[in-house]
Amino acid sequence: YHDDHAYTVLHYLQQMHAELTNRQNRYETKLDLLLGMLLIDLDRMNSARPRSRGDITYAVSFLQENYHQPVDMAMLADLSGYSYHRFRHLFKQKTGCAPYDYLIKQRLIQARSLLANSNLSITAIAQECFFYNESQLSMMFKRQYGLPPSLYRKQNNSGAL
């Protein structure tokens, strides 16, 4: 946490420490009240703090780790604390591409790795990387890398076959 200029959090913690040390009548009730007040003030301080572009970092990490499953971009925007349109703008500003395009790139990166380093069929790779089918993978792979997956595999196989 980051305390404010009035040391609000420190003040509450000192009061709570004093209550625990002195243990006067009904100190538990006062501790509960102080804790509640502390949590409210922390929430207020957090919501008053301006957002930074760093909030998009969570979304980028999420897409890198969850490329292999369906992703609801509106939900991801909400989890990042932005409207969908603001999220798209900030995401593109940070990564250079729209969130959905970034997700497709992550899927293609994984597909490329599997083509070069595994003996999975192209259909299995399409499923593993959450493409609709082999045709969708092939079309997007060729658009991104300039050659179909089968030819890429032949040129870049590292002995996995």
Side-chain angles (χ1 to χ4, degrees):
Y1 78 92
H2 296 284
D3 211 347
D4 60 7
H5 65 281
Y7 300 105
T8 304
V9 175
L10 179 61
H11 177 70
Y12 282 123
L13 292 175
Q14 288 171 336
Q15 285 182 308
M16 294 167 78
H17 182 265
E19 285 298 321
L20 275 170
T21 303
N22 298 334
R23 295 185 185 260
Q24 293 179 356
N25 186 29
R26 298 177 54 101
Y27 77 95
E28 297 100 341
T29 303
K30 189 163 181 183
L31 281 172
D32 286 342
L33 292 171
L34 286 167
L35 179 60
M37 291 170 57
L38 171 63
L39 292 174
I40 289 169
D41 281 349
L42 281 172
D43 185 53
R44 287 178 179 172
M45 288 186 319
N46 190 38
S47 60
R49 192 171 294 133
R51 292 185 197 263
S52 68
R53 282 183 20 193
D55 293 341
I56 298 301
T57 303
Y58 168 78
V60 171
S61 296
F62 182 88
L63 293 176
Q64 289 172 346
E65 295 171 10
N66 295 285
Y67 65 85
H68 59 284
Q69 60 187 355
V71 176
D72 181 346
M73 293 298 176
M75 180 195 72
L76 190 55
D78 188 48
L79 287 173
S80 298
Y82 295 105
S83 70
Y84 178 69
H85 296 291
R86 181 71 178 147
F87 171 75
R88 283 177 37 94
H89 174 75
L90 291 174
F91 194 97
K92 187 167 186 173
Q93 199 174 34
K94 182 172 178 93
T95 66
C97 61
Y100 180 75
D101 294 337
Y102 189 86
L103 176 63
I104 295 300
K105 284 183 181 183
Q106 294 306 306
R107 290 175 177 171
L108 288 170
I109 288 168
Q110 182 62 22
R112 186 177 65 185
S113 175
L114 290 172
L115 285 165
N117 301 306
S118 78
N119 59 359
L120 291 173
S121 68
I122 295 175
T123 302
I125 291 172
Q127 290 173 343
E128 176 76 22
C129 297
F130 208 75
F131 286 100
Y132 185 69
N133 57 30
E134 183 180 343
S135 297
Q136 183 192 32
L137 169 62
S138 294
M139 177 188 68
M140 291 184 164
F141 195 93
K142 188 171 183 180
R143 187 182 305 150
Q144 180 72 28
Y145 300 113
L147 63 162
S150 56
L151 185 56
Y152 179 87
R153 172 174 266 169
K154 286 178 187 172
Q155 291 178 358
N156 296 284
N157 189 280
S158 63
L161 295 176

